[in-house]
Amino acid sequence: MQDLMTSSASLGPQLPKTPTGIDGLDEITEGGLPKGRPTLVCGSAGCGKTLMGVEFLVRGIQQYNEPGVLMAFEETADELAANVTSLGFDLQTLQGQGQLRIDHVHVDRSEIEETGEYDLEGLFIRLGYAIDSIGAKRVVLDTIEALFSGFPNQAVLRSEIRRLFRWLKDKGVTTIITAERGEGSLTRQGLEEYVSDCVILLDNRVIEQITTRRLRIVKYRGSTHGTNEYPYLITEDGISVLPVTSLKLAHEVSDEIVSSGVPALDAMFGRHGFYKGSSVLITGTAGTAKTTLAASFAHAVCSTGKRCAFFAFEESPQQLVRNMRSVGLDLAPFIEQGLLHVEASRPTLNGLEKHLVTLHRLVKEFKPDAVVIDPISNLITVGNISEVRSMLTRLIDFLKISNITALFTSLISGRNIQQEMTEEGVSSLVDTWISVRDLEGVGERNRGVSILKARGMAHSNQVREFVVTNQGVQLLDVVIGPTGIVTGASRLTQQMQEQAQALASQQELERKDREIERKRRVLEATIANLRTEFESVEEELRQINHEELVRQQKLADTRRQIAGTASAE
């Protein structure tokens, strides 16, 4: 966000602004209040006007080294200091350091004698001295009604209001002036909002027995600003404004992969897990192991030495640890090591904004790498669908900007099973959507998991059956039957049939092998007999041939002997 503001500021001359240091307010005003100009903060009783002014001064001193002056017309310095001590604002110490000046001005209407020349010159001298004594850059006047209560003459009143605002501008101090809300106008006099350069309206309303505060910037001369109503809270750390639409999609992304805690589920993703900093939604009906999957993710995060914040809206930390231990997930060691923080409460304990501020505070203090909220569907009990969607949108954007991996679970009712939509309507906002469902058939109830979407990576399109065992969640192999994927008892029947078929095939192969072996032995015996007969015939022929050669040799010898005898005679 700061980069965007810097880039937008480089496009052309911008109105000089003074950052307030109040969470969210500088973001909505795109930099802070108009520097050296008065800002009007108006609202009804109890909306935090005085607190905003005090925090504006304290943050200016602590964060920007800008001294401030608080001129109060209703409360004394001691009363103001006591009222804001619980918020961590030590006004007395700041006064002792010469960085803050608190001046209480008591205005009693009965003591004011109106004349034609009566004006606020004395106030200007007093305020000017306070500003010059500490070199103040910020001023708060609380409240303007008390200052002008002694002016029944409207002409004089309007003239003095204009002169007050002009004097503050000429003085060059950034000023917050608080005012009470009027009937039919933003203020009692109906003039302050016209002469102010910036007007902030605070509203305190009760909706369905839940107190909700809203802030709106009515006008801001010379600058663009958020124009919607923004929820804000008064917490132990001061005022926190929660912008709804001012967050811009300009966060950094990571290619790092985070495991879901279930290896077989990781294998269904092309990158074998979730992207770090992404948002994951697990939806399903009751009893489909959404919390177990969420705890598996938290267990996997903590197993790598990283931190995880777990928001549980249905179980206490002790119950969560006990239940997860029964499925092989021991979370207790991680809690003891400070790697896992379980924040358990009923959603009705606070309003939506309070839950969001609690998460903001926990992220700031605990600095987790992952956040689990189980389940977000329970937030419907403290707000309507549009408010819950708005709150979750802000939450998702905040976690993305912080590069924190977020996992949400949500309960879907029976009427939404076919549409696979959540009542909160955040399925389109998340990066990964996992659906767990009931697979009913043959008189039993089984569980199945599928990936509906995974931005930035390929993923499986199968519906995988899974079981919850003593070793956690285990995905079963896909078994295809004549009518498609089979589960439960049908899976066992199909496996038995396949095993029987495999056994029969194996036995048939063994029978054929034995038949071949018998034929081979018969053939070898036949070949041996033929070889024996051949050898006998060969031996006989060889003997006949040898005898014939001997006979021929003897005949030749006889002929030579006869021939020799005849020659001698």
Side-chain angles (χ1 to χ4, degrees):
M1 178 56 63
Q2 185 64 33
D3 295 339
L4 288 175
M5 292 168 56
T6 303
S7 62
S8 63
S10 62
L11 298 178
Q14 299 292 317
L15 180 71
K17 297 184 178 182
T18 297
T20 64
I22 299 175
D23 290 340
L25 184 57
D26 291 336
E27 184 178 2
I28 298 172
T29 56
E30 298 185 3
L33 304 181
K35 186 175 183 179
R37 301 186 183 186
T39 295
L40 181 67
V41 177
C42 52
S44 57
C47 61
K49 301 184 296 297
T50 302
L51 177 59
M52 179 171 286
V54 172
E55 186 168 356
F56 170 70
L57 294 177
V58 174
R59 301 299 183 195
I61 295 172
Q62 295 176 344
Q63 300 179 14
Y64 306 102
N65 195 27
E66 294 185 356
V69 171
L70 173 59
M71 182 163 282
F73 304 105
E74 294 182 340
E75 297 177 281
T76 65
D78 293 337
E79 291 173 343
L80 282 170
N83 292 341
V84 298
T85 300
S86 61
L87 303 178
F89 300 154
D90 191 352
L91 301 187
Q92 294 179 347
T93 299
L94 296 178
Q95 290 184 85
Q97 296 172 351
Q99 295 178 309
L100 177 65
R101 181 75 178 269
I102 301 178
D103 193 359
H104 172 63
V105 178
H106 176 68
V107 179
D108 191 346
R109 181 173 180 178
S110 62
E111 298 177 358
I112 297 178
E113 181 180 357
E114 182 181 359
T115 64
E117 298 180 354
Y118 184 85
D119 55 26
L120 296 176
E121 193 64 33
L123 176 68
F124 295 159
I125 295 174
R126 189 168 178 174
L127 182 57
Y129 172 77
I131 294 173
D132 296 336
S133 63
I134 63 173
K137 302 294 183 182
R138 304 183 181 207
V139 172
V140 172
L141 301 181
D142 181 49
T143 67
I144 197 171
E145 280 76 23
L147 180 63
F148 292 108
S149 61
F151 288 90
N153 190 318
Q154 292 294 318
V156 175
L157 185 146
R158 289 175 176 269
S159 174
E160 290 303 305
I161 287 179
R162 288 192 178 94
R163 199 158 74 94
L164 172 62
F165 278 73
R166 173 50 56 187
W167 185 88
L168 292 170
K169 284 186 178 181
D170 294 340
K171 198 65 177 177
V173 291
T174 306
T175 307
I176 284 183
I177 301 174
T178 65
E180 297 178 3
R181 185 115 182 230
E183 297 181 2
S185 61
L186 296 179
T187 60
R188 293 279 184 88
Q189 311 301 335
L191 178 64
E192 298 92 324
E193 59 264 34
Y194 295 102
V195 296
S196 300
D197 290 86
C198 178
V199 178
I200 299 177
L201 175 63
L202 304 182
D203 184 25
N204 187 15
R205 68 189 71 165
V206 178
I207 302 176
E208 295 182 357
Q209 302 179 1
I210 296 177
T211 301
T212 304
R213 292 182 171 93
R214 294 286 188 270
L215 177 148
R216 179 168 65 93
I217 300 177
V218 179
K219 78 171 185 179
Y220 198 137
R221 287 174 180 165
S223 173
T224 58
H225 56 86
T227 57
N228 296 331
E229 278 194 331
Y230 302 95
Y232 71 95
L233 289 176
I234 299 176
T235 68
E236 59 272 12
D237 297 322
I239 293 179
S240 178
V241 185
L242 311 174
V244 180
T245 59
S246 61
L247 289 174
K248 300 178 181 178
L249 297 177
H251 52 271
E252 299 292 333
V253 296
S254 173
D255 289 331
E256 183 181 346
I257 297 299
V258 179
S259 173
S260 66
V262 182
L265 180 59
D266 290 340
M268 297 180 66
F269 292 92
R271 296 290 304 275
H272 296 278
F274 314 134
Y275 283 120
K276 177 177 174 56
S278 64
S279 53
V280 182
L281 176 65
I282 300 178
T283 61
T285 54
T288 49
K290 299 184 296 297
T291 301
T292 304
L293 290 172
S296 299
F297 170 72
H299 188 276
V301 171
C302 296
S303 297
T304 60
K306 297 181 179 180
R307 296 185 174 186
C308 178
F310 198 111
F311 285 80
F313 291 144
E314 294 181 337
E315 298 176 286
S316 66
Q318 295 79 7
Q319 183 180 3
L320 180 67
V321 171
R322 183 202 64 186
N323 294 347
M324 293 304 105
R325 188 181 290 117
S326 66
V327 295
L329 300 174
D330 192 359
L331 303 178
F334 299 128
I335 296 177
E336 296 174 356
Q337 297 170 15
L339 297 177
L340 178 63
H341 178 83
V342 181
E343 187 81 12
S345 65
R346 290 292 183 187
T348 52
L349 177 65
N350 300 301
L352 293 174
E353 289 76 21
K354 179 63 175 179
H355 286 295
L356 185 55
V357 168
T358 301
L359 190 140
H360 276 241
R361 176 181 54 80
L362 183 60
V363 169
K364 181 179 179 180
E365 297 175 356
F366 187 62
K367 294 181 174 56
D369 297 279
V371 169
V372 176
I373 299 182
D374 175 50
I376 59 175
S377 49
N378 280 20
L379 296 173
I380 292 293
T381 59
V382 291
N384 57 44
I385 294 178
S386 62
E387 291 175 340
V388 173
R389 179 181 173 86
S390 174
M391 178 264 193
L392 292 175
T393 301
R394 302 196 302 271
L395 174 59
I396 291 173
D397 289 341
F398 168 71
L399 295 176
K400 281 182 177 291
I401 291 176
S402 304
N403 197 28
I404 296 175
T405 309
L407 187 142
F408 310 102
T409 67
S410 178
L411 175 69
I412 58 175
S413 58
R415 63 178 182 276
N416 288 329
I417 295 178
Q418 296 299 325
Q419 293 82 5
E420 292 179 325
M421 296 297 292
T422 60
E423 293 184 354
E424 306 81 24
V426 297
S427 54
S428 61
L429 301 176
V430 297
D431 300 304
T432 302
W433 185 5
I434 300 174
S435 173
V436 286
R437 66 188 72 177
D438 292 324
L439 303 176
E440 297 185 3
V442 197
E444 63 181 10
R445 179 173 174 267
N446 303 294
R447 300 183 179 100
V449 59
S450 62
I451 302 173
L452 301 184
K453 76 171 182 179
R455 289 173 179 164
M457 68 174 67
H459 56 277
S460 172
N461 62 347
Q462 291 181 330
V463 179
R464 296 283 301 275
E465 183 184 2
F466 71 93
V467 293
V468 180
T469 68
N470 294 334
Q471 287 75 39
V473 175
Q474 294 184 0
L475 271 64
L476 305 179
D477 295 332
V478 177
V479 176
I480 307 296
T483 59
I485 297 178
V486 294
T487 61
S490 300
R491 165 194 290 273
L492 297 178
T493 302
Q494 180 72 17
Q495 290 177 341
M496 293 175 62
Q497 292 176 352
E498 292 177 354
Q499 292 174 358
Q501 293 176 357
L503 180 60
S505 299
Q506 181 67 26
Q507 292 175 347
E508 180 66 18
L509 290 175
E510 292 176 354
R511 187 190 64 79
K512 290 182 179 180
D513 289 341
R514 291 193 298 270
E515 182 67 22
I516 291 174
E517 180 64 21
R518 285 194 297 269
K519 290 183 177 181
R520 185 183 64 78
R521 289 198 296 269
V522 171
L523 180 59
E524 288 178 351
T526 302
I527 293 173
N529 292 334
L530 292 175
R531 182 177 291 111
T532 302
E533 292 179 3
F534 174 76
E535 290 175 354
S536 299
V537 172
E538 183 183 27
E539 180 66 25
E540 184 179 356
L541 292 176
R542 188 178 295 111
Q543 183 65 28
I544 294 174
N545 186 36
H546 176 70
E547 291 177 355
E548 180 64 23
L549 289 176
V550 172
R551 190 183 64 81
Q552 292 290 339
Q553 185 64 34
K554 289 182 179 181
L555 181 60
D557 292 343
T558 303
R559 289 177 179 173
R560 284 195 298 270
Q561 292 176 1
I562 295 174
T565 304
S567 298
E569 291 179 355

